Amino acid sequence: MTAAAAATSPVGPLRLRPVSRAEHLAFVGSRRSVSHMQLPSWGDVKPDWEAESLGWFDGEGRIVGAGLVLLRALPRVRRYLAYLPEGPVIDWADPRLERWLDPLLAYLKGRGAFTVRMGPPVVVRRWSAEAVKQAIADPAVRRLRDAEPTSYEPGAADLAERLRRTGWRQPQEHGTAGFAAGQPRYVFQVPFAGRSLDDIRGGLNQQWRRNVKKAEKAGVKVVRGGYEDLPAFHTLYTETAERDRFVARPLSYFQRMWTALTSEHPDRMRLYLAHHDGEILAAATMLTVGEHVWYSYGASTDRRREVQPNNAMQWRMMSDAHELGAAVYDFRGITDTLEETDHLLGLLRFKVGAGGEAVEYLGEWDRPLNRLLHQAFALYMARRGGAS
């Protein structure tokens, strides 16, 4: 089983307690890949949630695991949903998983949590770009989950069964599996480890390579922006939201995100802008934690699409990620639905063109601590369309 946040499993019982931001950051900084949503700074991005850093300690007092928990109160009730997005950062391969999760549940119950939700960073299956293309072309395959995977991760199914046996359940998805409320279960990633930039370029499909050259010939210039360029990004992002039918976040969200993440590390968040003839045609944010780089938010206009600004921008971001020493370039969520009627299928085709693989994670899991409040919360979330 691949667990991106795995730590060396200690022997004996573990103790959990709140930790300082410095302790938390030092621990996750020693890991090769940790989600940006498990950083102390992510709590600053979510002002509607109360954030707390937690640490697991072995018998010798050494920190061996960490997690950022976000707490959100039910309306008119001081009881909380406790949420650990894409975490916690523990040894998910440890067969004695209760040593990690039991102290977490006990602590959060004492904090007033009625439900704990977490997202184990554990991969279940992978599909090569070619396998995804074949699945899209096969009319008998309507969902990625039904297509034959290229590989399975050993131990993931056993982990899921152990979670079920101990009372954890997967919440009902609202929306497609890649873009439902919460964090995406299906993502698209391009492995960089051990590959030269020429190798990565060679992995692009013919259309991608043609579009990158077309953008260069047309004079598209991709530059890095700063905080002062976020309004220009947001203008394009709002246009994208209207076109692709999703709810746009306000400009203040991205300004808060920039301030929080870059205060923690000056290169944690980048902004890229694709210019052509004095106009910004596309823009995107890129996040870096250790050896993992994410394409986070993208935006573009319908104007002058023929000069291919999106391919140019993504190739610049991939090139910069490689220069940073990234082991993986993560395009984030993809749709699980492969039907032509799904408006997100075009985005999936775009990402597949970059080479790499579709990846299914174990998904998010709930552990009710108060079943009545948990059921009320599930109903509330279903009515408002999700909560992350």
Side-chain angles (χ1 to χ4, degrees):
M1 171 177 55
T2 298
T8 302
S9 184
V11 177
L14 301 175
R15 181 171 53 89
L16 181 140
R17 66 168 174 82
V19 295
S20 68
R21 293 173 71 109
E23 287 177 294
H24 185 173
L25 192 59
F27 178 78
V28 298
S30 67
R31 298 296 179 263
R32 296 177 62 187
S33 179
V34 173
S35 170
H36 55 281
M37 296 181 187
Q38 280 299 297
L39 299 174
S41 56
W42 195 249
D44 299 327
V45 181
K46 301 290 184 179
D48 294 336
W49 299 71
E50 180 182 343
E52 188 171 16
S53 292
L54 301 176
W56 282 259
F57 293 81
D58 64 14
E60 298 182 12
R62 295 173 300 195
I63 186 170
V64 292
L68 178 74
V69 60
L70 303 174
L71 298 156
R72 191 166 196 171
L74 273 178
R76 299 182 296 276
V77 180
R78 296 300 293 175
R79 300 296 295 276
Y80 299 90
L81 166 68
Y83 183 34
L84 296 97
E86 299 186 353
V89 186
I90 60 175
D91 183 3
W92 289 100
D94 189 344
R96 303 155 298 171
L97 196 59
E98 66 278 359
R99 298 190 312 140
W100 302 87
L101 298 184
D102 286 355
L104 175 67
L105 293 174
Y107 177 80
L108 293 175
K109 186 174 183 179
R111 286 281 275 113
F114 63 86
T115 290
V116 178
R117 176 171 292 183
M118 64 180 183
V122 175
V123 171
V124 178
R125 298 182 289 179
R126 302 175 188 270
W127 294 262
S128 68
E130 184 59 33
V132 178
K133 287 166 56 181
Q134 291 176 2
I136 293 174
D138 186 347
V141 180
R142 305 180 68 179
R143 288 186 173 274
L144 181 61
R145 69 185 71 177
D146 299 326
E148 184 65 29
T150 306
S151 66
Y152 292 88
E153 293 295 337
D158 178 63
L159 172 59
E161 182 56 33
R162 282 188 287 152
L163 289 173
R164 291 188 191 98
R165 285 200 307 265
T166 54
W168 292 86
R169 297 290 182 267
Q170 293 192 281
Q172 183 178 353
E173 293 174 343
H174 305 287
T176 58
F179 293 87
Q183 308 315 317
R185 182 168 182 174
Y186 295 87
V187 302
F188 199 85
Q189 299 175 345
V190 181
F192 277 17
R195 302 174 69 195
S196 69
L197 193 59
D198 285 341
D199 291 336
I200 296 166
R201 183 189 286 269
L204 304 177
N205 69 13
Q206 186 178 34
Q207 186 66 49
W208 255 75
R209 293 196 298 271
R210 184 184 299 121
N211 287 349
V212 170
K213 290 181 179 179
K214 184 181 291 186
E216 292 173 355
K217 187 174 181 180
V220 174
K221 302 296 182 184
V222 181
V223 300
R224 284 181 59 184
Y227 180 90
E228 67 281 2
D229 298 300
L230 288 174
F233 159 80
H234 193 261
T235 298
L236 287 184
Y237 167 75
T238 302
E239 180 180 336
T240 304
E242 293 174 355
R243 181 180 67 237
D244 294 344
R245 290 174 274 169
F246 63 86
V247 179
R249 295 188 182 277
L251 173 60
S252 59
Y253 178 86
F254 296 99
Q255 292 172 328
R256 187 167 59 248
M257 186 175 173
W258 181 279
T259 300
L261 298 186
T262 58
S263 294
E264 185 175 79
H265 189 290
D267 211 21
R268 183 78 79 210
M269 179 175 176
R270 292 185 177 188
L271 175 64
Y272 288 83
L273 307 162
H275 292 258
H276 183 258
D277 285 346
E279 184 179 7
I280 300 174
L281 301 182
T285 59
M286 188 176 94
L287 306 180
T288 301
V289 183
E291 298 179 3
H292 202 126
V293 172
W294 292 265
Y295 157 52
S296 180
Y297 286 91
S300 64
T301 180
D302 279 333
R303 297 184 299 278
R304 287 187 253 169
R305 286 197 161 196
E306 69 279 2
V307 300
Q308 309 301 332
N310 289 298
N311 292 92
M313 181 175 64
Q314 286 292 343
W315 179 243
R316 166 68 189 276
M317 293 166 67
M318 293 171 73
S319 300
D320 285 3
H322 185 269
E323 184 178 357
L324 288 169
V328 61
Y329 184 83
D330 197 325
F331 277 94
R332 290 291 284 171
I334 56 174
T335 179
D336 174 51
T337 304
L338 304 181
E339 298 180 22
E340 290 292 339
T341 54
D342 187 344
H343 70 285
L344 294 170
L345 188 59
L347 183 59
L348 172 59
R349 287 193 171 108
F350 177 80
K351 294 179 179 182
V352 169
E357 57 194 11
V359 178
E360 179 189 9
Y361 281 92
L362 201 61
E364 297 193 327
W365 294 74
D366 284 352
R367 180 63 159 81
L369 301 176
N370 181 310
R371 294 199 174 276
L372 183 61
L373 288 178
H374 175 80
Q375 290 171 357
F377 171 75
L379 180 62
Y380 167 71
M381 293 312 302
R383 286 175 172 170
R384 72 186 294 269
S388 85

